[in-house]
Amino acid sequence: MLSTSSAAKAFGILPAYPSQYLYRTPLRTYRAVHRAIHRGAGRHMAVADAREGSSEKLFSFGIISDVQWAPIPDGHSFHGTPRYYADALEKAKRAVEGFKAHDVELVVHLGDIVDFHAKQHGKSDQALADIVECFDGLEKPVLHCIGNHCLYNHPRHVLNDRLGIDMHKGDSNASHSYFTFRPPGHKHAFIVLDGYDISILGYPPGHPHHELAKAILDKENPNEEKNSNKGLEGVARRFVKFGGGLSDEQVEWLRQELHACREREETVIVCCHQCIHPKSCVPTCLLYNYDVVLNVLQENADVVHATFAGHAHSAGYHCDEFGIHHRVCEAVLETKPGQDCYGIASVYADGMDIQGFGNFISDSYRQSVAEAATAAIE
């Protein structure tokens, strides 16, 4: 069994980041920060301008996050944010139709495909069946991240089976939910992380990963209710029961996968339910060991182009000093009825453009900021 001492080593706390790095109005700040970054690098933000004179499109993929379908009336989050349960499935169906119309090669769903309240109403099986049927209508690969609401409703082995994770792993005997997908005919790899590999939710009591998560929370969160981060400051607010992190085994697997991608001359897109960079989201939504994961990605920034996450429900963005783009995606659940919430990423040799629909922000992630700044100086 993994020990508490190994937990302290694997999940060491960094000093709290300056407050200006942790914004609580992600949508507004995302736009302002993004404009500033691109002005400083001598680039234009508009997707339409980025397409002019661009290289030939290689392929496209769909992006959607936090559908959180539950066949119940609308409600609110614990903080009073409206949640439109009744319309979530219809939004997902419209997104699938949009993906089909644009002939995407695959879709990434960034986690929380069903909502906690489905279980509270005895409708977990119905909710999962409804949403799986919806995405099956795409008839293309769908890469699912495991989210906390997924695990509130179903054990991991059920999710791995029903969401096609076992198929992508190629090993149904392995209990984890991380894998790599390579779209045929392209030099790209999608690495899907399991952000609940170390968590209270991810495995039953007695499992080493459950016990390690319990030890981490007992050490880092003094509250009796571990879903509360009251009194915690800065990035330490991530140590909550509805969070999680990567095991040592998964971190090493990630490192080896990135090395393999370099050997294969592939560009990597990393997907995870929880957020990876502290400047892209509120601290509560970070992986427990985001710093360890981020370090591995930055060590391999020559192959890693972008990360995509959900969980925060609001848009977030940061391009780090190594040129990796970190995008946090908007939640279907909290998008007003009748409005869409999905994106289509068109991939090019020098990056990607994202066309957002409805509440989903459009953007362009071509050269890294460092590359663009160097080019502007030259």
Side-chain angles (χ1 to χ4, degrees), residues 153-172:
N153 281 273
H154 297 281
R156 181 182 296 274
H157 72 274
V158 171
L159 296 168
N160 284 352
D161 176 38
R162 297 295 304 280
L163 299 180
I165 295 172
D166 281 340
M167 177 183 66
H168 293 310
K169 288 190 307 184
D171 181 5
S172 60

Side-chain angles (χ1 to χ4, degrees), residues 83-154:
R83 291 189 161 179
Y84 305 105
Y85 297 106
D87 193 52
L89 183 59
E90 291 306 310
K91 290 190 187 79
K93 289 179 178 178
R94 291 199 303 272
V96 167
E97 290 305 309
F99 297 146
K100 291 168 71 173
H102 286 81
D103 195 27
V104 301
E105 293 201 16
L106 67 138
V107 167
V108 175
H109 183 273
L110 292 162
D112 282 358
I113 198 168
V114 291
D115 188 84
F116 165 80
H117 286 93
K119 184 177 181 65
Q120 297 298 102
H121 288 77
K123 297 182 177 181
S124 292
D125 291 341
Q126 178 189 341
L128 184 60
D130 289 343
I131 201 70
V132 167
E133 181 182 12
C134 170
F135 281 101
D136 281 351
L138 183 65
E139 298 182 342
K140 296 287 181 67
V142 181
L143 315 183
H144 288 284
C145 299
I146 292 290
N148 52 308
H149 283 266
C150 303
L151 292 163
Y152 293 147
N153 281 273
H154 297 281

Side-chain angles (χ1 to χ4, degrees), residues 185-233:
H186 302 292
K187 285 287 191 177
H188 280 73
F190 289 78
I191 294 182
V192 177
L193 300 179
D194 177 358
Y196 289 89
D197 198 9
I198 299 295
S199 73
I200 294 293
L201 306 175
Y203 292 95
H207 190 284
H209 291 191
H210 179 104
E211 297 306 316
L212 175 53
K214 185 176 182 298
I216 291 166
L217 290 177
D218 287 344
K219 176 178 181 291
E220 307 294 355
N221 186 335
N223 295 299
E224 183 176 352
E225 172 50 66
K226 300 302 181 183
N227 274 320
S228 170
N229 52 18
K230 182 179 179 180
L232 300 179
E233 299 291 338

Side-chain angles (χ1 to χ4, degrees), residues 243-289:
L246 275 62
S247 64
D248 292 341
E249 294 85 356
Q250 186 180 173
V251 170
E252 182 57 29
W253 169 86
L254 172 61
R255 183 178 286 109
Q256 294 304 319
E257 285 296 291
L258 293 172
H259 292 172
C261 290
R262 180 178 295 106
E263 291 296 319
R264 299 167 67 114
E265 298 182 347
E266 293 171 330
T267 298
V268 176
I269 297 164
V270 177
C271 306
C272 186
H273 182 59
Q274 299 102 306
C275 309
I276 295 173
H277 201 290
K279 292 186 183 181
S280 69
C281 67
V282 294
T284 303
C285 296
L286 289 165
L287 285 165
Y288 285 172
N289 55 342

